[in-house]
Amino acid sequence: MHKDVETILISQKKLENIVKSLAKQIEKDYNSKEFIMVGLLKGSIVFMAELMTKIDIDFEIDFMVASSYGGGTESSGKVKILKDLSVSPVGKDILIIEDIVDSGNTLNFVKNHLITAGAASVKVCTLCDKPSRRKVPLEPDYCGAEIPDEFIVGYGLDYDEKYRNLPYIGVLKRSVYS
Ligand code: IMP
Ligand code: MG
């Protein structure tokens, strides 16, 4: 275990099972309906890479970059789109892939942005959710795990751009950020 990690919250084995089960749900719901899987960089990369190989229907992928955090552990509330889709969303069914929903600000903003831009439907698949921290209404359509109000890292999730490479999800020691 990494020296800055307090405890392992979701093990590698559990992550594997979570991802498999989400993939099967998505496969069943979209059936043969073509969709675009849109990863929010950078936190979603590990989750999305694992998830996409387990979905056995055709779909396109794309990426967006939205930012609401500085270097800290709290959302600033002001969301900016730093990189938009590289294809037109008009008339497309979009599935956003996110690492974690916290205040809901990021996904609320990105979802509205895509709907306004003309997407036919926009759904959200998140690996983790901290429902107790919600500031704006946002209900993920697919959620891997609800977690308590702790700052977590690993499997794509960072603190100050570190720990994304950990193969598990762990709670970051408070001494690292306070
Ligand atoms: P929201 O806009 O407040 O919902 O924040 C969502 C974004 O904040 C996520 O995409 C993450 O990048 C980041 N975030 C929120 N909670 C955590 C956490 O516990 N660990 C790492 N990143 C987090
Ligand atoms: Mg982040």
Side-chain angles (χ1 to χ4, degrees), residues 40-44 66-69 72-77 79 98-108 126 128-130 133-136 138 147-154 156-160 164 170 172:
L40 293 192
L41 294 175
K42 305 170 210 170
S44 68
S67 107
S68 75
Y69 271 51
T73 60
E74 291 281 331
S75 163
S76 69
V79 183
E98 175 65 308
D99 53 357
I100 184 165
V101 189
D102 186 36
S103 69
N105 282 323
T106 306
L107 277 175
N108 188 51
T126 187
C128 296
D129 189 8
K130 288 194 233 180
R133 301 252 311 166
R134 208 67 98 249
K135 292 202 181 102
V136 294
L138 192 286
I147 59 159
D149 184 9
E150 302 271 16
F151 198 83
I152 58 166
V153 293
L157 289 108
D158 74 306
Y159 171 67
D160 214 8
R164 294 194 197 275
L172 188 64

Side-chain angles (χ1 to χ4, degrees), residues 5-177:
V5 169
E6 184 79 56
T7 51
I8 293 181
L9 197 63
I10 315 179
S11 68
Q12 251 179 296
K13 185 73 210 154
K14 261 195 208 157
L15 282 164
E16 222 174 89
N17 290 333
I18 287 171
V19 169
K20 259 189 227 155
S21 126
L22 289 173
K24 288 305 136 200
Q25 287 175 52
I26 292 167
E27 198 178 292
K28 186 166 136 261
D29 292 353
Y30 283 88
N31 196 6
S32 52
K33 188 160 137 185
E34 295 248 339
F35 67 102
I36 311 179
M37 181 183 278
V38 175
L40 293 192
L41 294 175
K42 305 170 210 170
S44 68
I45 61 153
V46 179
F47 174 42
M48 178 160 160
E50 294 288 331
L51 182 71
M52 61 189 276
T53 61
K54 289 168 186 69
I55 301 177
D56 207 10
I57 52 173
D58 292 337
F59 56 92
E60 284 177 48
I61 68 162
D62 204 346
F63 296 97
M64 284 177 74
V65 180
S67 107
S68 75
Y69 271 51
T73 60
E74 291 281 331
S75 163
S76 69
K78 283 190 211 110
V79 183
K80 275 191 294 190
I81 306 272
L82 304 180
K83 186 221 167 283
D84 210 336
L85 288 185
S86 37
V87 293
S88 163
V90 176
K92 298 288 174 69
D93 293 299
I94 293 176
L95 178 62
I96 303 173
I97 309 296
E98 175 65 308
D99 53 357
I100 184 165
V101 189
D102 186 36
S103 69
N105 282 323
T106 306
L107 277 175
N108 188 51
F109 188 90
V110 171
K111 238 184 124 168
N112 286 333
H113 171 80
L114 292 171
I115 291 165
T116 308
S121 73
V122 182
K123 284 194 186 185
V124 169
C125 173
T126 187
L127 177 61
C128 296
D129 189 8
K130 288 194 233 180
S132 67
R133 301 252 311 166
R134 208 67 98 249
K135 292 202 181 102
V136 294
L138 192 286
E139 192 64 50
D141 300 276
Y142 305 93
C143 172
E146 285 196 1
I147 59 159
D149 184 9
E150 302 271 16
F151 198 83
I152 58 166
V153 293
Y155 205 73
L157 289 108
D158 74 306
Y159 171 67
D160 214 8
E161 295 301 327
K162 279 189 296 209
Y163 316 109
R164 294 194 197 275
N165 57 315
L166 304 182
Y168 51 83
I169 286 185
V171 176
L172 188 64
K173 283 185 181 164
R174 277 179 192 271
S175 57
V176 177
Y177 58 89

